[in-house]
Amino acid sequence: MFDKVLIANRGEIAVRVIRTCRELGIATVAVYSELDRDALHVRLADEAYALGGQTAAESYLNTEAILDALRRSGAQGVHPGYGFFSENAAFARAIAGAGAVFIGPPPEAIEIMGDKISSRLAAERAGVAGVPGRSEALGDASEVVAFGEEHGWPVAIKAAFGGGGRGMKVVASPADAADAMESAQREATAYFGRPEVYPEKYLEWPRHIEMQVFADGHGNALWIGERDCSYQRRHQKLVEESPAPDFPDEIRQQMGEASVRICHACAYEGAGTVEFLYEAGRFYFLEMNTRLQVEHPVTELVTGIDLVALQLRVASGEPIGFTQEDLVARRRGHSIECRVNAEDPAGGRFLPSPGRITTFRPPDGFGTRTDAGYESGDEVSQFYDNLVAKVVVWGEDRESARRRMLRALDETVVEGIATTIPAHKAILAHEDFVSASHSTRWVEERLDLSGVTAAVKAESGGEAGERRVLREVDAEVDGRRYRVKLWVPGPEAAPAVTPQAAPGGSPAAKRASSRGRHGSSGPAIGGDGKITVPMQGTIVKVLVAEGDSVEAGQTLCVLEAMKMENPVNADRAGVVKELRVKPGDALGAGDVVAVLE
Ligand code: MV4
């Protein structure tokens, strides 16, 4: 077993790994960007090394800086967490080259599963089918029509070298084939640098069910259990649960065995997840994630297995130590996870809401676990993933887990930023959740969040430890005068003013605040036709050119902020007179992307 492990990550997953290391007597090494100098994962680790830089690219994606911290610390293993370098074969090789162990699969397995075509082929070798489709690129639109006539409509057109749902187009009928194919090729080129696209039968109401697998260096591969991750918006998961509801045991068994065959087909080692679409009693291979996933705790709670401990054991050369048979007796009850993101779900918009968490009180009690990357007073930066915490519950059955989650969410206090908690309450309380009549499209198409207004509560003034002073004042209630005592924040306490209401500030902040920080996600168009962005971020895609005519609602460009893609739309028809941005441009709130005429 390792004596010392470096965690090449931040936030809740770094904290998660540090906790298990501590239990196993392994010393922990944190790394941090300039913004994370005082972050929770740094405070909890035994040692910490600065990577420099603010953005992910300058810090957590800086291989040389991480290798330097590895050498200086003398750690023998590197845990990559999820995101960042977790599925990067070159990084895995660099760690091995430095004489340490990458706590993850072999680089060859990462590569096989890294692109759609080779992962589909590996699944085929293992006898596991994807959605009915074609394994070569499409030549022209007549082939889409032929495919639709043979397999039925609608047809999905997907980027051959893509993933994550980017660039997927749905074709309802032959008449739409040419336009959809052209647009899929254009997006594939913009996102992945390659225009190749291929067709699949489009499943209209599928669930996303994924299987946790584990393999060791001694030839053992096991399936640990499935998770239903269908509750998501814009390909960002919101709620996950295990076991998948209304999912027959016999299908679970088949999906598990298929996943194990896929592990063997790519010589897998460590923790992995095989993703499937599930519809009408059939499952179809989508892709394999070669890392520990955000939602791994639901599997831990229903099996009692610490997956991070297992990763550390397997990476240090030990065998898994239990059998597929042993797992039958271990699986018990039901678990649900809700991702608490720094996002405002008001009106279903899920707008990024970075800032200082003035108060954070996680829920507690029987069957309740919170994995957080922050404490009260910590700042959620717009530069990184906006996951603040995961609230995870266990219950004897699905209904007790559901009720426990609603109780836990009610108990959770987050002030200073908006969070997804109001959306979770709406999901968990919905009759469709109770009856499990959901699909991957349910949140975006059926869940009504128009009534949700996640006003950001600023300083509560009620925090323990805050300096308070006694004031006696006169008050009049219903015409009667009272002398009352008030314990109020003392002279040194900060005034209870929210940043957007504060006088002064940057011009961009003022422009943003004049529209209401938590208002519309759409652009603000003044009388001058200027289209501005509502928050700081990076332009990842420009969809129009100067001189183009655009319709109201048409997407002009895509702004990536806090790892989420936000369309910037025209809210009236016009001609693009000026286009002021290109992919890669960093913008501040209120900056102009285009001028319409
Ligand atoms: C599909 C599909 C329906 N039919 N393929 C989107 C992400 C990418 N990994 C695969 N995705 C989908 N592929 C066919 N043939 C529906 C989705 C899909 C989806 C899949 C998993 C999780 C969430 C999703 C949300 C919308 C669409």
Side-chain angles (χ1 to χ4, degrees):
M1 186 46 89
F2 305 104
D3 295 319
K4 194 187 264 194
V5 161
L6 182 148
I7 298 111
N9 215 304
R10 64 179 304 285
E12 70 87 18
I13 192 60
V15 171
R16 163 75 191 85
V17 174
I18 289 169
R19 285 187 169 134
T20 287
C21 286
R22 184 136 303 151
E23 290 166 15
L24 297 178
I26 300 170
T28 53
V29 181
V31 290
Y32 59 94
S33 67
E34 276 170 24
L35 296 171
D36 278 342
R37 189 173 295 119
D38 193 33
L40 183 60
H41 75 284
V42 176
R43 303 200 292 271
L44 292 181
D46 297 309
E47 294 169 46
Y49 294 84
L51 299 171
Q54 299 205 327
T55 63
E58 293 163 351
S59 53
Y60 300 100
L61 290 173
N62 181 341
T63 306
E64 276 316 309
I66 294 170
L67 288 175
D68 197 45
L70 181 62
R71 278 187 289 267
R72 289 168 64 196
S73 67
Q76 303 127 342
V78 175
H79 196 301
Y82 50 70
F84 297 135
F85 277 140
S86 60
E87 298 184 276
N88 188 305
F91 181 77
R93 289 197 174 97
I95 297 304
V101 176
F102 176 76
I103 301 166
E108 295 76 20
I110 298 178
E111 278 165 349
I112 290 171
M113 291 304 166
D115 94 73
K116 203 137 195 157
I117 297 212
S118 78
S119 66
R120 234 179 115 100
L121 290 173
E124 265 171 40
R125 281 203 304 280
V128 182
V131 184
R134 238 174 66 154
S135 297
E136 328 105 76
L138 282 162
D140 64 70
S142 70
E143 294 171 24
V144 177
V145 176
F147 183 88
E149 296 302 318
E150 188 188 337
H151 293 92
W153 302 92
V155 171
I157 305 182
K158 295 186 172 185
F161 295 91
R166 283 172 166 183
M168 180 172 99
K169 290 282 165 247
V170 181
V171 195
S173 68
D176 302 335
D179 281 355
M181 177 153 160
E182 199 183 305
S183 133
Q185 286 175 324
R186 199 168 51 236
E187 291 196 16
T189 310
Y191 281 131
F192 310 112
R194 307 257 323 228
E196 290 92 338
V197 295
Y198 72 97
E200 270 179 13
K201 179 169 173 51
Y202 178 69
L203 306 179
E204 304 209 57
W205 202 250
R207 284 158 63 187
H208 171 142
I209 299 186
E210 59 182 33
M211 183 60 70
Q212 177 72 54
V213 291
F214 231 103
D216 63 22
H218 305 267
N220 304 301
L222 303 182
W223 59 275
I224 311 286
E226 85 289 0
R227 299 180 284 258
D228 188 327
C229 307
S230 304
Y231 295 91
Q232 54 90 47
R233 48 80 184 78
R234 281 179 272 152
H235 305 293
Q236 302 284 320
K237 292 167 189 162
L238 283 164
V239 177
E240 303 98 347
E241 60 182 315
S242 185
D246 188 21
F247 189 64
D249 238 336
E250 158 200 331
I251 307 279
R252 173 175 300 108
Q253 185 80 25
Q254 288 168 15
M255 185 182 276
E257 287 166 7
S259 304
V260 165
R261 289 200 303 276
I262 290 174
C263 288
H264 288 302
C266 65
Y268 204 77
E269 277 175 46
T273 297
V274 185
E275 290 188 353
F276 297 92
L277 288 177
Y278 175 68
E279 190 183 70
R282 289 169 183 274
F283 59 85
Y284 308 95
F285 173 78
L286 261 187
E287 52 196 69
M288 181 171 188
N289 300 318
T290 55
R291 59 166 191 273
L292 187 74
Q293 295 204 226
V294 176
E295 59 272 24
H296 75 276
V298 296
T299 303
E300 298 186 318
L301 293 197
V302 293
T303 60
I305 296 169
D306 180 333
L307 292 172
V308 172
L310 196 55
Q311 283 188 298
L312 292 162
R313 292 206 174 93
V314 162
S316 70
E318 293 175 33
I320 289 175
F322 53 84
T323 67
Q324 195 68 63
E325 209 24 46
D326 295 335
L327 281 165
V328 178
R330 297 210 66 139
R331 239 172 257 125
R332 183 159 170 258
H334 198 97
S335 178
I336 304 175
E337 171 180 282
C338 287
R339 297 189 187 191
V340 179
N341 288 87
E343 279 168 35
D344 186 345
R349 283 183 295 267
F350 294 99
L351 268 193
S353 178
R356 187 168 303 282
I357 303 172
T358 52
T359 306
F360 178 35
R361 275 201 298 274
D364 204 341
F366 182 60
T368 308
R369 160 177 170 182
T370 308
D371 277 22
Y374 300 84
E375 291 177 333
S376 293
D378 288 342
E379 174 108 15
V380 181
S381 159
Q382 45 140 351
F383 286 108
Y384 314 117
D385 189 280
N386 61 24
L387 184 64
V388 172
K390 305 181 304 203
V391 176
V392 197
V393 299
W394 179 88
E396 226 164 314
D397 52 32
R398 187 170 189 260
E399 180 59 11
S400 30
R402 186 185 75 89
R403 296 175 72 107
R404 181 162 291 151
M405 180 59 88
L406 282 167
R407 185 273 295 165
L409 293 171
D410 270 338
E411 215 175 282
T412 310
V413 178
V414 183
E415 288 172 358
I417 57 167
T419 75
T420 42
I421 289 176
H424 292 311
K425 290 179 178 171
I427 292 170
L428 275 280
H430 202 287
E431 59 183 9
D432 289 352
F433 187 92
V434 177
S435 63
S437 41
H438 58 291
S439 88
T440 55
R441 288 159 60 191
W442 184 85
V443 168
E444 280 165 331
E445 294 180 15
R446 302 271 170 93
L447 180 66
D448 180 6
L449 293 172
S450 61
V452 171
T453 48
V456 180
K457 259 220 226 140
E459 316 266 339
S460 69
E463 273 306 279
E466 185 178 277
R467 184 182 295 274
R468 318 207 89 204
V469 295
L470 178 64
R471 290 263 163 75
E472 283 195 71
V473 297
D474 295 326
E476 209 179 85
V477 180
D478 264 349
R480 181 167 166 192
R481 193 162 172 278
Y482 293 87
R483 180 103 186 141
V484 297
K485 291 177 179 174
L486 294 174
W487 282 265
V488 297
E492 284 155 6
V497 177
T498 56
Q500 63 268 32
S506 73
K510 273 194 221 160
R511 281 196 300 276
S513 71
S514 69
R515 290 193 303 277
R517 180 167 170 227
H518 301 284
S520 160
S521 68
I525 302 196
D528 50 5
K530 285 180 176 155
I531 312 255
T532 60
V533 295
M535 61 211 143
Q536 181 168 349
T538 305
I539 296 292
V540 291
K541 194 167 153 193
V542 176
L543 297 155
V544 295
E546 279 178 10
D548 283 2
S549 296
V550 296
E551 288 161 26
Q554 186 173 335
T555 301
L556 305 178
C557 57
V558 178
L559 179 80
E560 194 167 278
M562 297 179 76
K563 299 185 93 186
M564 286 184 42
E565 292 192 357
N566 304 276
V568 180
N569 301 336
D571 71 354
R572 65 167 190 201
V575 173
V576 181
K577 189 171 82 178
E578 254 182 78
L579 186 65
R580 299 206 185 158
V581 295
K582 57 181 186 320
D585 285 357
L587 303 191
D591 282 353
V592 176
V593 297
V595 184
L596 296 186
E597 185 170 58

